[in-house]
Amino acid sequence: MAELEELVAGLDLELRRGTLVLCVLSRLTTPQYGYSLVQELSEKGIAIDISTLYPLLRRLERQGICAAEWETSGAKPRKYYQLTEQGRQVYQELKEHWQNIATSISALLEEKS
Amino acid sequence: MNNDKNYIDSMTTRYVYAATRWMPAKQRKDAARELESLIGDMMEERTGGRVAVAKDIEMVLTELGNPSAFSAKANGQEQYLIGPDLFPKYKTVISIVMMAVAFGITVAMVILMTLGSFSGIFDFLFSWLSSLVSAIVTGAAIVTFIFALAQWRGGALRDGILHTPWSPANLPPLPQNGERIPRWESIFGIVFGVLAMLLFVLFPQLIGGFFKTDGRYVLVPFFNLEIMRQMLPMLLLMFALGIFREFVAFMEGRYTMRLAIVTSISDLISMGLAVVVFGNPQLYSANFFPAVQAVAPELSEISWVFESFGKIFLAVFLFALVLDLLTTLFKALKYRANV
């Protein structure tokens, strides 16, 4: 039984891993800092490890998908991330791809083989 | 209270240091500042306005998890020393190299032992083990370095190992009987090359003949050891080229144009080196032929053989190289027509 759970947990992790980027992109249409992202995502049922999110944000920044800026006027300095123009296009396209995938997979899962 | 604040600050600093230590220098400062700000946010969230205590920072850091995991992932999952596509070949090559090296060292040590070079079984075991370990580590390091370079730099080296860019058209045809290069043949070539290197580096004095004088067998070296030592770098380069050629043959597994090109270059350089090394009359020991004549005076009749031995030796050597070059080239061209 424990073995089955472990198997499912591993595959589940694999399944979620690729979708995290899309989830993060969907939140970056407005400026967000790391911790606010974690909170917002987890409120909406998407659990993401902080040690996964930060490297992901840095990678997106490096790829020019989002831009980051330090906001120092508040009580605490915070690094805010937001989609760039290119990032917006990427997000739009990925969103369409996701919707197609979701439709196809749902059809597969509902169909009796 | 003050103690708690100091503890929280110190733990935060330590965590941030541990988490960002192995990041690229460019990102480190920025990432550290961001992480500090994050820990601050998490502390605020946790305490909700009350004064933070030591326990809070411990809980927050526990939630953040192992800092080394944080920085490992921070480098991006795509960073490999040797990636999944190169790994299967790496594994095969490194095991072959390690086996070949271990075999070569063992053979060399057994030869040494039979020649009485060790004072006892422990001396033998110790020398064998230490040579074995250092040779295997060196071999493994060289292979790893080459593959890591292919991974890191990409380009022609990586493409060469992976046979990319790939299209169905360049799927290799199943090797025909004569076209396939058996693995053992290349491995034998590599082992032989390593043994030859060891022989020339460690015991050039053993290359010679045993002659019975005064009822005792005396080993007379064939080469002038002083000159041999001067020639050693060129000899080693020659063997290294040969080993490299066998290595390419092993990777290709059949006669290809690539192998033919590598063989041609390596053989042509070897020919040049052979002319310089073996064409030097001083390389041959002046004591060898007198020793032969002393035991077998009747051989004096064919003394011309001895006098021009260097030339004959060189000619045989060159002939072997030419033959190797031509067969490889011929087979590569012949089987190319079948593709």
Side-chain angles (χ1 to χ4, degrees), chain B residues 80-136:
Chain B
Y80 293 102
L81 177 64
I82 291 162
D85 45 356
L86 284 171
F87 193 73
K89 283 194 178 180
Y90 169 70
K91 218 171 117 187
T92 314
V93 171
I94 202 167
S95 27
I96 300 281
V97 166
M98 294 205 307
M99 278 189 287
V101 168
F103 180 75
I105 292 284
T106 306
V107 171
M109 286 296 165
V110 169
I111 293 174
L112 267 187
M113 190 182 64
T114 53
L115 289 167
S117 302
F118 298 109
S119 55
I121 184 76
F122 290 110
D123 185 23
F124 168 73
L125 282 179
F126 181 76
S127 310
W128 176 65
L129 274 177
S130 60
S131 317
L132 200 62
V133 169
S134 64
I136 286 181

Short mmCIF file of all heavy atoms in Angstrom, two decimals, chain B residues 80-136:
data_model
loop_
_atom_site.label_atom_id
_atom_site.label_comp_id
_atom_site.label_asym_id
_atom_site.label_seq_id
_atom_site.Cartn_x
_atom_site.Cartn_y
_atom_site.Cartn_z
N TYR B 80 23.97 19.93 -15.82
CA TYR B 80 24.54 18.62 -15.53
C TYR B 80 26.03 18.66 -15.79
O TYR B 80 26.48 19.40 -16.67
CB TYR B 80 23.96 17.57 -16.47
CG TYR B 80 22.51 17.28 -16.28
CD1 TYR B 80 21.56 17.82 -17.13
CD2 TYR B 80 22.10 16.43 -15.26
CE1 TYR B 80 20.22 17.53 -16.98
CE2 TYR B 80 20.76 16.13 -15.11
CZ TYR B 80 19.83 16.68 -15.96
OH TYR B 80 18.52 16.38 -15.81
N LEU B 81 26.76 17.82 -15.09
CA LEU B 81 28.16 17.61 -15.47
C LEU B 81 28.19 16.80 -16.75
O LEU B 81 28.86 17.16 -17.72
CB LEU B 81 28.90 16.87 -14.35
CG LEU B 81 30.35 16.54 -14.65
CD1 LEU B 81 31.17 17.81 -14.81
CD2 LEU B 81 30.94 15.67 -13.58
N ILE B 82 27.42 15.71 -16.73
CA ILE B 82 27.28 14.90 -17.93
C ILE B 82 25.80 14.56 -18.02
O ILE B 82 25.26 13.88 -17.16
CB ILE B 82 28.14 13.63 -17.84
CG1 ILE B 82 29.62 14.03 -17.90
CG2 ILE B 82 27.82 12.66 -18.97
CD1 ILE B 82 30.55 12.97 -17.41
N GLY B 83 25.14 15.08 -19.04
CA GLY B 83 23.69 14.99 -19.13
C GLY B 83 23.19 13.61 -19.50
O GLY B 83 23.97 12.73 -19.85
N PRO B 84 21.87 13.42 -19.43
CA PRO B 84 21.28 12.10 -19.67
C PRO B 84 21.55 11.56 -21.07
O PRO B 84 21.60 10.36 -21.25
CB PRO B 84 19.78 12.32 -19.48
CG PRO B 84 19.61 13.69 -18.97
CD PRO B 84 20.88 14.44 -19.12
N ASP B 85 21.71 12.45 -22.04
CA ASP B 85 21.94 11.93 -23.40
C ASP B 85 23.36 11.42 -23.58
O ASP B 85 23.62 10.49 -24.32
CB ASP B 85 21.57 12.96 -24.47
CG ASP B 85 22.10 14.34 -24.15
OD1 ASP B 85 22.68 14.51 -23.06
OD2 ASP B 85 21.94 15.25 -24.98
N LEU B 86 24.30 12.05 -22.87
CA LEU B 86 25.69 11.60 -22.98
C LEU B 86 25.99 10.44 -22.03
O LEU B 86 26.93 9.68 -22.24
CB LEU B 86 26.65 12.76 -22.65
CG LEU B 86 26.84 13.84 -23.70
CD1 LEU B 86 27.64 14.99 -23.12
CD2 LEU B 86 27.54 13.29 -24.92
N PHE B 87 25.18 10.33 -20.97
CA PHE B 87 25.55 9.41 -19.89
C PHE B 87 25.73 7.94 -20.30
O PHE B 87 26.71 7.32 -19.88
CB PHE B 87 24.55 9.53 -18.73
CG PHE B 87 25.04 8.85 -17.51
CD1 PHE B 87 26.07 9.41 -16.76
CD2 PHE B 87 24.51 7.64 -17.12
CE1 PHE B 87 26.55 8.77 -15.64
CE2 PHE B 87 24.99 7.00 -15.99
CZ PHE B 87 26.01 7.56 -15.25
N PRO B 88 24.81 7.35 -21.11
CA PRO B 88 25.00 5.93 -21.44
C PRO B 88 26.36 5.66 -22.09
O PRO B 88 27.02 4.69 -21.76
CB PRO B 88 23.86 5.63 -22.41
CG PRO B 88 22.85 6.68 -22.15
CD PRO B 88 23.60 7.90 -21.71
N LYS B 89 26.77 6.56 -23.01
CA LYS B 89 28.06 6.35 -23.66
C LYS B 89 29.20 6.55 -22.68
O LYS B 89 30.21 5.85 -22.70
CB LYS B 89 28.23 7.30 -24.85
CG LYS B 89 27.43 6.82 -26.03
CD LYS B 89 27.80 7.52 -27.31
CE LYS B 89 26.96 6.91 -28.42
NZ LYS B 89 27.20 7.47 -29.72
N TYR B 90 29.03 7.54 -21.81
CA TYR B 90 30.04 7.82 -20.79
C TYR B 90 30.27 6.59 -19.92
O TYR B 90 31.41 6.20 -19.66
CB TYR B 90 29.58 9.00 -19.94
CG TYR B 90 30.38 9.25 -18.69
CD1 TYR B 90 31.69 9.72 -18.78
CD2 TYR B 90 29.85 8.99 -17.44
CE1 TYR B 90 32.42 9.95 -17.64
CE2 TYR B 90 30.58 9.21 -16.30
CZ TYR B 90 31.87 9.69 -16.40
OH TYR B 90 32.60 9.91 -15.27
N LYS B 91 29.15 5.97 -19.53
CA LYS B 91 29.25 4.82 -18.64
C LYS B 91 30.01 3.67 -19.31
O LYS B 91 30.89 3.06 -18.70
CB LYS B 91 27.83 4.36 -18.27
CG LYS B 91 27.71 3.90 -16.84
CD LYS B 91 26.27 3.68 -16.49
CE LYS B 91 26.00 2.24 -16.15
NZ LYS B 91 24.59 1.95 -15.96
N THR B 92 29.66 3.41 -20.58
CA THR B 92 30.34 2.34 -21.30
C THR B 92 31.82 2.65 -21.42
O THR B 92 32.67 1.81 -21.12
CB THR B 92 29.75 2.19 -22.71
OG1 THR B 92 28.34 2.20 -22.60
CG2 THR B 92 30.20 0.90 -23.35
N VAL B 93 32.11 3.87 -21.87
CA VAL B 93 33.51 4.22 -22.13
C VAL B 93 34.33 4.17 -20.85
O VAL B 93 35.42 3.60 -20.81
CB VAL B 93 33.61 5.62 -22.77
CG1 VAL B 93 35.07 6.07 -22.84
CG2 VAL B 93 33.00 5.61 -24.15
N ILE B 94 33.78 4.72 -19.76
CA ILE B 94 34.58 4.77 -18.55
C ILE B 94 34.81 3.37 -17.99
O ILE B 94 35.90 3.08 -17.49
CB ILE B 94 33.96 5.73 -17.49
CG1 ILE B 94 35.05 6.18 -16.53
CG2 ILE B 94 32.80 5.12 -16.74
CD1 ILE B 94 34.67 7.33 -15.66
N SER B 95 33.83 2.47 -18.14
CA SER B 95 34.08 1.13 -17.62
C SER B 95 35.14 0.41 -18.45
O SER B 95 36.00 -0.29 -17.91
CB SER B 95 32.81 0.30 -17.48
OG SER B 95 31.85 0.70 -18.39
N ILE B 96 35.09 0.61 -19.77
CA ILE B 96 36.10 -0.02 -20.63
C ILE B 96 37.49 0.52 -20.28
O ILE B 96 38.46 -0.23 -20.12
CB ILE B 96 35.82 0.28 -22.12
CG1 ILE B 96 34.45 -0.26 -22.53
CG2 ILE B 96 36.93 -0.26 -22.99
CD1 ILE B 96 34.40 -1.71 -22.81
N VAL B 97 37.58 1.84 -20.15
CA VAL B 97 38.88 2.45 -19.87
C VAL B 97 39.42 1.94 -18.54
O VAL B 97 40.58 1.56 -18.43
CB VAL B 97 38.77 4.00 -19.85
CG1 VAL B 97 40.01 4.63 -19.22
CG2 VAL B 97 38.59 4.52 -21.26
N MET B 98 38.55 1.87 -17.54
CA MET B 98 39.02 1.42 -16.23
C MET B 98 39.48 -0.04 -16.28
O MET B 98 40.50 -0.39 -15.70
CB MET B 98 37.94 1.65 -15.17
CG MET B 98 37.71 3.12 -14.97
SD MET B 98 37.05 3.66 -13.41
CE MET B 98 35.64 2.75 -13.18
N MET B 99 38.72 -0.86 -17.01
CA MET B 99 39.12 -2.27 -17.11
C MET B 99 40.45 -2.40 -17.85
O MET B 99 41.32 -3.15 -17.44
CB MET B 99 38.03 -3.07 -17.81
CG MET B 99 36.91 -3.48 -16.89
SD MET B 99 35.77 -4.62 -17.66
CE MET B 99 34.91 -3.54 -18.78
N ALA B 100 40.56 -1.64 -18.96
CA ALA B 100 41.79 -1.72 -19.75
C ALA B 100 43.00 -1.28 -18.92
O ALA B 100 44.04 -1.94 -18.93
CB ALA B 100 41.66 -0.85 -21.00
N VAL B 101 42.82 -0.19 -18.18
CA VAL B 101 43.92 0.32 -17.37
C VAL B 101 44.29 -0.69 -16.27
O VAL B 101 45.46 -1.01 -16.06
CB VAL B 101 43.54 1.69 -16.75
CG1 VAL B 101 44.54 2.08 -15.69
CG2 VAL B 101 43.48 2.75 -17.82
N ALA B 102 43.26 -1.24 -15.63
CA ALA B 102 43.52 -2.21 -14.56
C ALA B 102 44.25 -3.42 -15.10
O ALA B 102 45.22 -3.91 -14.51
CB ALA B 102 42.20 -2.64 -13.91
N PHE B 103 43.81 -3.87 -16.27
CA PHE B 103 44.44 -5.02 -16.89
C PHE B 103 45.90 -4.71 -17.23
O PHE B 103 46.82 -5.49 -16.91
CB PHE B 103 43.66 -5.41 -18.15
CG PHE B 103 44.23 -6.60 -18.86
CD1 PHE B 103 44.05 -7.88 -18.35
CD2 PHE B 103 44.96 -6.44 -20.03
CE1 PHE B 103 44.58 -8.98 -18.99
CE2 PHE B 103 45.49 -7.54 -20.69
CZ PHE B 103 45.31 -8.82 -20.17
N GLY B 104 46.12 -3.55 -17.85
CA GLY B 104 47.48 -3.15 -18.25
C GLY B 104 48.42 -3.09 -17.05
O GLY B 104 49.53 -3.63 -17.08
N ILE B 105 47.95 -2.43 -16.00
CA ILE B 105 48.79 -2.29 -14.80
C ILE B 105 49.10 -3.65 -14.20
O ILE B 105 50.24 -3.95 -13.83
CB ILE B 105 48.06 -1.41 -13.75
CG1 ILE B 105 47.96 0.03 -14.23
CG2 ILE B 105 48.76 -1.48 -12.40
CD1 ILE B 105 49.24 0.81 -14.14
N THR B 106 48.08 -4.50 -14.15
CA THR B 106 48.28 -5.82 -13.54
C THR B 106 49.31 -6.62 -14.33
O THR B 106 50.22 -7.23 -13.76
CB THR B 106 46.93 -6.56 -13.45
OG1 THR B 106 46.01 -5.73 -12.78
CG2 THR B 106 47.08 -7.86 -12.70
N VAL B 107 49.15 -6.60 -15.67
CA VAL B 107 50.11 -7.34 -16.50
C VAL B 107 51.53 -6.80 -16.27
O VAL B 107 52.47 -7.56 -16.05
CB VAL B 107 49.72 -7.25 -17.99
CG1 VAL B 107 50.83 -7.81 -18.87
CG2 VAL B 107 48.43 -7.99 -18.24
N ALA B 108 51.64 -5.47 -16.27
CA ALA B 108 52.96 -4.87 -16.09
C ALA B 108 53.56 -5.27 -14.75
O ALA B 108 54.75 -5.61 -14.66
CB ALA B 108 52.85 -3.35 -16.18
N MET B 109 52.73 -5.28 -13.71
CA MET B 109 53.23 -5.61 -12.38
C MET B 109 53.63 -7.07 -12.28
O MET B 109 54.61 -7.41 -11.62
CB MET B 109 52.16 -5.29 -11.32
CG MET B 109 52.02 -3.81 -11.08
SD MET B 109 53.53 -3.12 -10.40
CE MET B 109 53.27 -1.40 -10.64
N VAL B 110 52.86 -7.94 -12.94
CA VAL B 110 53.21 -9.36 -12.90
C VAL B 110 54.54 -9.58 -13.63
O VAL B 110 55.40 -10.33 -13.16
CB VAL B 110 52.07 -10.21 -13.52
CG1 VAL B 110 52.53 -11.64 -13.73
CG2 VAL B 110 50.85 -10.17 -12.60
N ILE B 111 54.71 -8.89 -14.76
CA ILE B 111 55.99 -9.01 -15.47
C ILE B 111 57.13 -8.57 -14.56
O ILE B 111 58.15 -9.25 -14.43
CB ILE B 111 55.98 -8.15 -16.76
CG1 ILE B 111 54.97 -8.71 -17.75
CG2 ILE B 111 57.36 -8.10 -17.38
CD1 ILE B 111 54.78 -7.86 -18.99
N LEU B 112 56.91 -7.43 -13.90
CA LEU B 112 57.94 -6.91 -12.98
C LEU B 112 58.25 -7.91 -11.88
O LEU B 112 59.40 -8.10 -11.50
CB LEU B 112 57.45 -5.61 -12.34
CG LEU B 112 57.83 -4.32 -13.01
CD1 LEU B 112 57.41 -3.16 -12.15
CD2 LEU B 112 59.34 -4.28 -13.24
N MET B 113 57.19 -8.55 -11.38
CA MET B 113 57.38 -9.49 -10.28
C MET B 113 58.21 -10.67 -10.74
O MET B 113 59.14 -11.09 -10.05
CB MET B 113 56.03 -9.96 -9.75
CG MET B 113 56.15 -10.73 -8.46
SD MET B 113 54.56 -11.33 -7.88
CE MET B 113 54.13 -12.44 -9.19
N THR B 114 57.89 -11.20 -11.93
CA THR B 114 58.64 -12.35 -12.41
C THR B 114 60.10 -11.97 -12.66
O THR B 114 60.98 -12.82 -12.62
CB THR B 114 58.05 -12.91 -13.72
OG1 THR B 114 57.96 -11.82 -14.64
CG2 THR B 114 56.68 -13.49 -13.51
N LEU B 115 60.35 -10.69 -12.88
CA LEU B 115 61.74 -10.26 -13.07
C LEU B 115 62.43 -9.97 -11.74
O LEU B 115 63.57 -9.52 -11.70
CB LEU B 115 61.77 -9.00 -13.94
CG LEU B 115 61.41 -9.25 -15.40
CD1 LEU B 115 61.16 -7.93 -16.11
CD2 LEU B 115 62.52 -10.02 -16.10
N GLY B 116 61.69 -10.20 -10.65
CA GLY B 116 62.28 -10.02 -9.33
C GLY B 116 62.46 -8.58 -8.92
O GLY B 116 63.40 -8.25 -8.19
N SER B 117 61.56 -7.72 -9.39
CA SER B 117 61.72 -6.30 -9.05
C SER B 117 61.18 -5.96 -7.66
O SER B 117 61.32 -4.84 -7.21
CB SER B 117 61.01 -5.43 -10.07
OG SER B 117 61.53 -5.68 -11.34
N PHE B 118 60.49 -6.91 -7.02
CA PHE B 118 59.92 -6.61 -5.71
C PHE B 118 60.62 -7.42 -4.63
O PHE B 118 61.04 -8.54 -4.85
CB PHE B 118 58.42 -6.91 -5.69
CG PHE B 118 57.66 -6.07 -6.67
CD1 PHE B 118 57.13 -6.64 -7.81
CD2 PHE B 118 57.52 -4.71 -6.46
CE1 PHE B 118 56.44 -5.87 -8.72
CE2 PHE B 118 56.83 -3.93 -7.37
CZ PHE B 118 56.29 -4.51 -8.50
N SER B 119 60.68 -6.79 -3.45
CA SER B 119 61.42 -7.45 -2.37
C SER B 119 60.56 -8.52 -1.69
O SER B 119 61.08 -9.36 -0.98
CB SER B 119 61.88 -6.42 -1.34
OG SER B 119 60.78 -5.68 -0.90
N GLY B 120 59.28 -8.48 -1.91
CA GLY B 120 58.44 -9.50 -1.28
C GLY B 120 57.01 -9.32 -1.70
O GLY B 120 56.69 -8.40 -2.46
N ILE B 121 56.15 -10.18 -1.20
CA ILE B 121 54.76 -10.15 -1.61
C ILE B 121 54.08 -8.84 -1.21
O ILE B 121 53.27 -8.30 -1.96
CB ILE B 121 53.99 -11.39 -1.07
CG1 ILE B 121 52.55 -11.42 -1.58
CG2 ILE B 121 53.99 -11.42 0.46
CD1 ILE B 121 52.44 -11.86 -3.03
N PHE B 122 54.45 -8.29 -0.06
CA PHE B 122 53.81 -7.06 0.39
C PHE B 122 54.25 -5.87 -0.46
O PHE B 122 53.46 -5.01 -0.80
CB PHE B 122 54.07 -6.80 1.87
CG PHE B 122 53.34 -7.78 2.74
CD1 PHE B 122 54.01 -8.76 3.44
CD2 PHE B 122 51.94 -7.74 2.80
CE1 PHE B 122 53.32 -9.69 4.20
CE2 PHE B 122 51.24 -8.66 3.56
CZ PHE B 122 51.93 -9.64 4.26
N ASP B 123 55.53 -5.88 -0.79
CA ASP B 123 56.05 -4.84 -1.67
C ASP B 123 55.27 -4.88 -2.99
O ASP B 123 54.83 -3.85 -3.52
CB ASP B 123 57.55 -5.08 -1.91
CG ASP B 123 58.16 -3.96 -2.72
OD1 ASP B 123 57.59 -2.85 -2.72
OD2 ASP B 123 59.21 -4.19 -3.35
N PHE B 124 55.09 -6.11 -3.50
CA PHE B 124 54.36 -6.28 -4.76
C PHE B 124 52.93 -5.78 -4.64
O PHE B 124 52.46 -4.99 -5.44
CB PHE B 124 54.36 -7.76 -5.17
CG PHE B 124 53.40 -8.06 -6.28
CD1 PHE B 124 53.67 -7.66 -7.59
CD2 PHE B 124 52.21 -8.74 -6.02
CE1 PHE B 124 52.77 -7.92 -8.60
CE2 PHE B 124 51.31 -8.99 -7.04
CZ PHE B 124 51.59 -8.59 -8.33
N LEU B 125 52.24 -6.26 -3.59
CA LEU B 125 50.83 -5.88 -3.41
C LEU B 125 50.67 -4.38 -3.27
O LEU B 125 49.79 -3.77 -3.87
CB LEU B 125 50.24 -6.59 -2.18
CG LEU B 125 49.87 -8.05 -2.39
CD1 LEU B 125 49.34 -8.65 -1.11
CD2 LEU B 125 48.85 -8.19 -3.52
N PHE B 126 51.57 -3.79 -2.48
CA PHE B 126 51.47 -2.35 -2.25
C PHE B 126 51.69 -1.58 -3.55
O PHE B 126 50.91 -0.68 -3.90
CB PHE B 126 52.49 -1.92 -1.19
CG PHE B 126 52.43 -0.47 -0.90
CD1 PHE B 126 51.40 0.06 -0.13
CD2 PHE B 126 53.38 0.40 -1.43
CE1 PHE B 126 51.33 1.41 0.13
CE2 PHE B 126 53.32 1.75 -1.18
CZ PHE B 126 52.29 2.26 -0.40
N SER B 127 52.74 -1.97 -4.29
CA SER B 127 53.02 -1.26 -5.55
C SER B 127 51.87 -1.45 -6.53
O SER B 127 51.48 -0.51 -7.23
CB SER B 127 54.29 -1.79 -6.20
OG SER B 127 55.31 -1.82 -5.28
N TRP B 128 51.38 -2.68 -6.57
CA TRP B 128 50.29 -2.97 -7.51
C TRP B 128 49.07 -2.12 -7.18
O TRP B 128 48.50 -1.47 -8.04
CB TRP B 128 49.96 -4.46 -7.44
CG TRP B 128 48.79 -4.86 -8.28
CD1 TRP B 128 48.72 -4.80 -9.64
CD2 TRP B 128 47.54 -5.35 -7.82
NE1 TRP B 128 47.48 -5.23 -10.06
CE2 TRP B 128 46.74 -5.58 -8.95
CE3 TRP B 128 47.00 -5.63 -6.55
CZ2 TRP B 128 45.45 -6.07 -8.86
CZ3 TRP B 128 45.72 -6.12 -6.47
CH2 TRP B 128 44.95 -6.33 -7.61
N LEU B 129 48.69 -2.13 -5.90
CA LEU B 129 47.50 -1.39 -5.50
C LEU B 129 47.65 0.10 -5.74
O LEU B 129 46.74 0.75 -6.26
CB LEU B 129 47.18 -1.64 -4.02
CG LEU B 129 46.35 -2.89 -3.76
CD1 LEU B 129 46.15 -3.09 -2.28
CD2 LEU B 129 45.00 -2.79 -4.47
N SER B 130 48.82 0.64 -5.37
CA SER B 130 48.95 2.09 -5.52
C SER B 130 48.98 2.50 -6.99
O SER B 130 48.38 3.49 -7.37
CB SER B 130 50.18 2.61 -4.77
OG SER B 130 51.33 2.01 -5.29
N SER B 131 49.65 1.69 -7.83
CA SER B 131 49.64 2.02 -9.27
C SER B 131 48.24 1.89 -9.82
O SER B 131 47.78 2.70 -10.63
CB SER B 131 50.54 1.07 -10.06
OG SER B 131 51.73 0.86 -9.41
N LEU B 132 47.55 0.83 -9.37
CA LEU B 132 46.20 0.57 -9.86
C LEU B 132 45.28 1.75 -9.55
O LEU B 132 44.60 2.27 -10.43
CB LEU B 132 45.67 -0.69 -9.17
CG LEU B 132 44.50 -1.40 -9.83
CD1 LEU B 132 44.91 -1.89 -11.21
CD2 LEU B 132 44.04 -2.57 -8.98
N VAL B 133 45.32 2.19 -8.31
CA VAL B 133 44.43 3.27 -7.89
C VAL B 133 44.75 4.54 -8.67
O VAL B 133 43.86 5.17 -9.26
CB VAL B 133 44.53 3.52 -6.37
CG1 VAL B 133 43.81 4.81 -6.00
CG2 VAL B 133 43.93 2.35 -5.61
N SER B 134 46.03 4.90 -8.74
CA SER B 134 46.34 6.17 -9.40
C SER B 134 46.05 6.10 -10.90
O SER B 134 45.54 7.06 -11.48
CB SER B 134 47.77 6.60 -9.13
OG SER B 134 48.65 5.68 -9.68
N ALA B 135 46.30 4.93 -11.52
CA ALA B 135 46.04 4.83 -12.96
C ALA B 135 44.55 4.86 -13.26
O ALA B 135 44.11 5.53 -14.20
CB ALA B 135 46.67 3.54 -13.51
N ILE B 136 43.76 4.16 -12.43
CA ILE B 136 42.32 4.15 -12.67
C ILE B 136 41.73 5.54 -12.47
O ILE B 136 40.92 6.01 -13.27
CB ILE B 136 41.63 3.11 -11.75
CG1 ILE B 136 41.93 1.71 -12.27
CG2 ILE B 136 40.13 3.34 -11.69
CD1 ILE B 136 41.30 0.60 -11.48
#
